Amino acid sequence: AGAASAAAKALGAQFAKELFCPRYAFLSHETRFDISSIAQTTCVQTTKKLHRDFAKIAGGSAVYWPGCVCPPEDLSLFHALHAELSPWEASPYRRSRHPACVEEHRLLASETYRRVVAVLR
């Protein structure tokens, strides 16, 4: 039983190595069913654009990321921010017609805003 178990583990390790090694397991239209029949997996590929986008975020820009802080159907943060940051003003950006909170002291006075920032850090 011990030898069979060791052989099964070795075979499992070999399959995992082949599955996750890009030299052996290319996911394409032709091979997608072969790979998915072995097991389900997730492949993450970071691109130069993704790195640039996150560098912009680190520099103070924003990104739209539904479900990052709460489930998309939960609007409690939206309603709290909407109430705490009103009255709203026109966006300072020429092409934007969205209302905006343009004063930093109002953002920092918002308990909900500070809570969201703390979660994201």
Side-chain angles (χ1 to χ4, degrees):
S5 176
K9 287 181 183 178
L11 187 59
Q14 178 185 347
F15 287 156
K17 181 179 179 183
E18 290 174 4
L19 179 64
F20 295 110
C21 183
R23 292 179 297 164
Y24 300 118
F26 288 104
L27 182 59
S28 69
H29 180 74
E30 292 82 25
T31 64
R32 70 177 189 246
F33 298 111
D34 298 335
I35 293 174
S36 65
S37 68
I38 296 171
Q40 291 186 357
T41 184
T42 300
C43 179
V44 177
Q45 181 178 1
T46 56
T47 62
K48 289 180 182 180
K49 182 180 182 326
L50 181 67
H51 284 283
R52 282 193 310 266
D53 289 347
F54 273 89
K56 287 179 183 178
I57 294 167
S61 296
V63 65
Y64 177 65
W65 189 347
C68 177
V69 177
C70 61
E73 63 276 1
D74 179 7
L75 297 177
S76 60
L77 287 175
F78 171 81
H79 292 302
L81 286 168
H82 188 270
E84 291 175 18
L85 298 176
S86 65
W88 294 87
E89 299 175 22
S91 173
Y93 302 106
R94 286 181 288 155
R95 295 184 182 177
S96 174
R97 288 179 265 155
H98 299 286
C101 177
V102 296
E103 299 167 354
E104 186 176 19
H105 72 274
R106 285 181 41 214
L107 283 172
L108 297 176
S110 166
E111 180 182 335
T112 305
Y113 176 80
R114 290 192 315 270
R115 190 174 73 221
V116 169
V117 169
V119 167
L120 294 176
R121 287 190 176 163

